[in-house]
Amino acid sequence: MLLLRHRPVSLRRARLHPAIHLLVMSSASASVSSPPASSAAADYHCRTKHSLTSGYARGPGRLDWANQPNPFLRFSPPSSLILLPNPPPVGAGIPYPSLFHSPPPPPQPLSVESLSALLFHSLALSAWKSAGVSTWSLRVNPSSGNLHPTEAHLLFEHPLEPGRLVVSHYAPRDHLLEVRSAAPVGDRSALLPPPATAVLALSSIFWRESWKYGERALRYCNHDVGHALAAVALATAALGWDARLLDGLSDEDLGCLVGVGKGAPAPPEGLPDKMVRGETPWVERQHPDCAVLLFPSGSEPEVDYGAMSAALRGFEGLEWVGKANSLSKDHVVWNVIYHTAEAVKKHGPAPGERFSVSPWQRSAALSDGLYKELTMQEVVRCRRSAVDMDGVHVMRRDTFYQILLHCLPSGGVSPGERQGPQSTLPFRVLPWDAEVHAALFVHRVSGLPSGLYFLVRNEEHFDTLRSAMRQDFEWARPEGCPDGLPLYRLMKGDCQRLAMQISCFQDIASHGCFSLGMIARFEPVLREKGEWMYPRLFWETGVLGQVLYLEAHAIGISATGIGCYFDDAVHEALGLKDLEFQSLYHFTVGAPVHDKRIMSLPAYPGPGIDA
């Protein structure tokens, strides 16, 4: 859950180190970066920045509770339902650290049981919460504001009807699959190249997010896609499967796969050129995001993007069953979201792009004893977003370093070597080299001075980062830092006030053990690869965020994502002056404060409500 609280708080804090004080003071007068010419993505990004001086990005101002979108999409009547075992028979589970430090287990066959385990540990409900007259559900995959814009769809051979390829929609409320269509059997090798197990596709309903967050919602929808991708990658690994983005498919191909126009309200012929209020059911329509191929670990299916695309285009002529339920009576159309989503579509494989699988690489390990004795299955289902931190808990330095080691895209490297392609879990689901780094505000880590640190996740960017940032930064290796962990101390000092201030004055950013801002190489990526990389940069931050969530819970504390921060104040504090690097997501890790007024209820069977 992204914390987006817009409330004033006192700025009184402990006395700051003089150098940190200068950063805080300079950030208060941060200037707004200007987008380059002819970049819809950069224009949207700059338009939706929160600012210390000019205020927050455009949003609803108040929440229209009567029209809060239903968090559960269902199709009626479905042609058939595939009921999934609940809970799935998963045996003893896999110790959490071994998922990163040991080779994957032998692959399980595709079955109703394995499909259930995949979804139960990635996209299912994890609990219900109740306080007073309010009841709401939580899910395994995190979501900004617990709004859950992300929907999942599966293409696979029906386990109970061999030879029949089906397209289904996952319904987490009841942990079942709604079969919506059947694909031609003759297209099987193009759609599921041997030995592939299934294709899992993700889509977003922007309205669920924009109901609360307005124009900035497109950012958060793509954060959630990244969280879901990581959740799926880890759940598939526990089954002995691998997951890799089918990134050569176009948005049109993906739309055919998930049936965005089947049983859903039709959009207008032209998108509105201004914000519109009223009954506009087309905003409940799904937007196709991505698809991942699931296959046995150690194999590499030969994907022919041309053949797969042609087969998917044929889905337009299939019989689709089911009409989508209505999510709200009235709506607000934040037109810039839909125009930007159209502008950043991918229209097919990039030149020379082909499907390939990185060799599996283990993450570096300091000690498995740093973690609680929990299985991966237990950790993913107990993950929660903290709503407050105690401001007291101190993390061990080795624990801090271990968490960061699990944030590296290609695991432990030998001294003198650099991080390579994304090949560790769950980053291996992404086919591009890492573009996202982390600026860390260290508050309470024993044996490590408080201050500002930087984790370089792609060392090819090191020289560019150093020249783009403040020239008085130290770039010193902290004491006890493991070889192969590209972590640098930029400046010593108490940076709690800075972290709180730039995260929309939220105390949770300063009351944890550490917080961070995810800094992405931005304008060069859009220029070199294309504007279709804009959502993918957010996917990468979501994958990294999911690792931080799970690491925190595996060591016995908590974490939360922070989507509300003053964009250019962050850049000013780091010395970043243009769009070469941009902050895309904030995060905080620490000991949570539990609200005893909230009662926790089992995920299944839940109450008979949609919440």
Side-chain angles (χ1 to χ4, degrees), residues 305-384:
Y305 278 129
M308 184 177 286
S309 175
L312 289 173
R313 299 297 174 97
F315 281 25
E316 283 293 318
L318 299 179
E319 179 182 358
W320 290 77
V321 179
K323 180 180 179 181
N325 60 316
S326 176
L327 305 181
S328 298
K329 180 181 178 180
D330 289 314
H331 313 85
V332 178
V333 181
W334 298 94
N335 57 300
V336 69
I337 291 176
Y338 301 92
H339 284 285
T340 304
E342 185 70 25
V344 300
K345 283 183 175 180
K346 192 172 185 181
H347 298 289
E353 183 174 8
R354 65 181 185 86
F355 183 88
S356 62
V357 180
S358 299
W360 184 86
Q361 179 67 39
R362 73 181 72 230
S363 294
L366 293 180
S367 171
D368 287 355
L370 298 170
Y371 296 99
K372 302 292 184 181
E373 293 184 359
L374 298 171
T375 66
M376 181 282 292
Q377 291 84 352
E378 290 173 322
V379 172
V380 299
R381 291 197 59 79
C382 77
R383 183 215 62 81
R384 302 288 185 267

Side-chain angles (χ1 to χ4, degrees), residues 244 247 358 409-410 419-423 427 430-437 457-461 521 525 529 533 536-537 540:
R244 187 78 163 177
D247 214 23
S358 299
S410 56
Q419 291 292 308
Q422 307 205 71
S423 51
F427 304 107
L430 305 176
W432 58 85
D433 289 349
E435 300 285 4
V436 175
H437 310 278
R457 297 182 62 251
N458 183 338
E459 290 153 295
E460 295 297 321
H461 304 166
R521 194 171 70 102
V525 175
K529 298 182 179 180
M533 277 298 296
R536 285 159 177 80
L537 292 176
E540 187 176 335

Side-chain angles (χ1 to χ4, degrees), residues 58-396:
R58 293 182 68 199
R62 64 176 183 85
L63 296 182
D64 181 6
W65 292 107
N67 284 300
Q68 181 178 8
N70 188 328
F72 300 117
L73 175 66
R74 293 299 299 267
F75 292 90
S76 62
S79 59
S80 64
L81 301 177
I82 301 177
L83 303 179
L84 302 172
N86 182 4
V90 294
I94 297 175
Y96 174 79
S98 71
L99 195 67
F100 301 92
H101 303 159
S102 302
Q108 295 188 22
L110 177 73
S111 65
V112 172
E113 290 75 19
S114 59
L115 284 174
S116 177
L118 164 65
L119 296 166
F120 193 75
H121 296 112
S122 60
L123 303 170
L125 301 191
S126 57
W128 286 84
K129 295 288 185 177
S130 180
V133 297
S134 299
T135 302
W136 63 96
S137 61
L138 304 180
R139 302 196 195 186
V140 174
N141 54 311
S143 172
S144 46
N146 201 34
L147 297 174
H148 294 285
T150 310
E151 297 290 334
H153 313 259
L154 274 166
L155 169 68
F156 58 97
E157 184 174 339
H158 198 306
L160 305 180
E161 302 177 25
R164 183 173 180 237
L165 290 181
V166 294
V167 182
S168 61
H169 167 254
Y170 177 56
R173 172 66 178 78
D174 298 298
H175 190 53
L176 56 80
L177 290 165
E178 302 175 301
V179 177
R180 300 207 58 217
S181 190
V185 177
D187 291 336
R188 190 192 193 290
S189 60
L191 296 168
L192 294 176
T197 306
V199 173
L200 186 147
L202 299 174
S203 60
S204 295
I205 299 175
F206 297 149
W207 165 237
R208 282 211 189 109
E209 205 72 26
S210 63
W211 166 79
K212 183 176 183 180
Y213 297 128
E215 290 188 350
R216 202 166 161 107
L218 183 60
R219 296 178 175 218
Y220 304 151
C221 287
N222 284 300
H223 284 154
D224 283 8
V225 170
H227 286 305
L229 283 171
V232 167
L234 292 166
T236 55
L239 295 168
W241 301 349
D242 208 346
R244 187 78 163 177
L245 267 178
L246 288 163
D247 214 23
L249 295 178
S250 69
D251 281 49
E252 185 176 350
D253 297 332
L254 297 170
C256 294
L257 173 58
V258 304
V260 294
K262 308 299 181 179
E269 290 187 7
L271 293 172
D273 57 4
K274 63 181 180 179
M275 185 184 72
V276 177
R277 298 179 184 271
E279 189 175 352
T280 51
W282 66 269
V283 302
E284 299 181 1
R285 187 183 178 98
Q286 298 177 75
H287 173 270
D289 292 309
C290 60
V292 293
L293 190 67
L294 309 182
F295 51 95
S297 291
S299 65
E300 183 168 354
E302 294 185 8
V303 174
D304 183 334
Y305 278 129
M308 184 177 286
S309 175
L312 289 173
R313 299 297 174 97
F315 281 25
E316 283 293 318
L318 299 179
E319 179 182 358
W320 290 77
V321 179
K323 180 180 179 181
N325 60 316
S326 176
L327 305 181
S328 298
K329 180 181 178 180
D330 289 314
H331 313 85
V332 178
V333 181
W334 298 94
N335 57 300
V336 69
I337 291 176
Y338 301 92
H339 284 285
T340 304
E342 185 70 25
V344 300
K345 283 183 175 180
K346 192 172 185 181
H347 298 289
E353 183 174 8
R354 65 181 185 86
F355 183 88
S356 62
V357 180
S358 299
W360 184 86
Q361 179 67 39
R362 73 181 72 230
S363 294
L366 293 180
S367 171
D368 287 355
L370 298 170
Y371 296 99
K372 302 292 184 181
E373 293 184 359
L374 298 171
T375 66
M376 181 282 292
Q377 291 84 352
E378 290 173 322
V379 172
V380 299
R381 291 197 59 79
C382 77
R383 183 215 62 81
R384 302 288 185 267
S385 295
V387 296
D388 199 2
M389 300 291 185
D390 66 7
V392 175
H393 182 79
V394 178
M395 178 182 290
R396 290 176 52 184

Side-chain angles (χ1 to χ4, degrees), residues 346-599:
K346 192 172 185 181
H347 298 289
E353 183 174 8
R354 65 181 185 86
F355 183 88
S356 62
V357 180
S358 299
W360 184 86
Q361 179 67 39
R362 73 181 72 230
S363 294
L366 293 180
S367 171
D368 287 355
L370 298 170
Y371 296 99
K372 302 292 184 181
E373 293 184 359
L374 298 171
T375 66
M376 181 282 292
Q377 291 84 352
E378 290 173 322
V379 172
V380 299
R381 291 197 59 79
C382 77
R383 183 215 62 81
R384 302 288 185 267
S385 295
V387 296
D388 199 2
M389 300 291 185
D390 66 7
V392 175
H393 182 79
V394 178
M395 178 182 290
R396 290 176 52 184
R397 188 177 68 187
D398 284 353
T399 301
F400 175 71
Y401 287 150
Q402 180 63 79
I403 291 173
L404 297 187
L405 285 169
H406 278 180
C407 292
L408 297 180
S410 56
V413 297
S414 301
E417 294 183 358
R418 293 188 168 194
Q419 291 292 308
Q422 307 205 71
S423 51
T424 59
L425 278 173
F427 304 107
R428 59 182 293 104
V429 72
L430 305 176
W432 58 85
D433 289 349
E435 300 285 4
V436 175
H437 310 278
L440 297 124
F441 306 96
V442 173
H443 308 314
R444 297 170 187 87
V445 177
S446 63
L448 200 64
S450 298
L452 184 60
Y453 293 73
F454 203 88
L455 179 66
V456 182
R457 297 182 62 251
N458 183 338
E459 290 153 295
E460 295 297 321
H461 304 166
F462 179 85
D463 291 338
T464 306
L465 281 163
R466 187 163 184 172
S467 63
M469 294 167 66
R470 291 182 178 269
Q471 296 305 297
D472 56 350
F473 283 158
E474 297 179 49
W475 293 97
R477 296 277 291 162
E479 184 178 353
C481 186
D483 292 334
L485 178 62
L487 177 69
Y488 301 89
R489 185 181 65 247
L490 302 182
M491 186 177 292
K492 293 180 181 179
D494 184 345
C495 55
Q496 292 180 80
R497 181 179 176 183
L498 174 61
M500 176 275 297
Q501 183 187 40
I502 62 178
S503 291
C504 296
F505 304 109
Q506 297 181 85
D507 287 329
I508 199 167
S510 60
H511 286 181
C513 300
F514 68 93
S515 63
L516 60 90
M518 299 184 193
I519 310 299
R521 194 171 70 102
F522 187 78
E523 194 275 331
V525 175
L526 302 182
R527 183 182 66 251
E528 295 164 8
K529 298 182 179 180
E531 295 202 81
W532 50 267
M533 277 298 296
Y534 182 67
R536 285 159 177 80
L537 292 176
F538 285 96
W539 300 353
E540 187 176 335
T541 66
V543 174
L544 179 56
Q546 181 70 347
V547 171
L548 291 168
Y549 265 127
L550 299 185
E551 287 289 295
H553 285 81
I555 64 173
I557 54 175
S558 191
T560 198
I562 301 176
C564 188
Y565 54 88
F566 297 115
D567 299 61
D568 286 320
V570 179
H571 306 144
E572 182 75 10
L574 295 173
L576 301 172
K577 293 182 171 57
D578 52 30
L579 292 177
E580 185 174 21
F581 293 96
Q582 291 285 286
S583 182
L584 301 188
Y585 195 9
H586 281 211
F587 226 86
T588 184
V589 176
V593 175
H594 298 289
D595 190 338
K596 297 181 179 179
R597 297 170 298 175
I598 300 177
M599 182 171 57

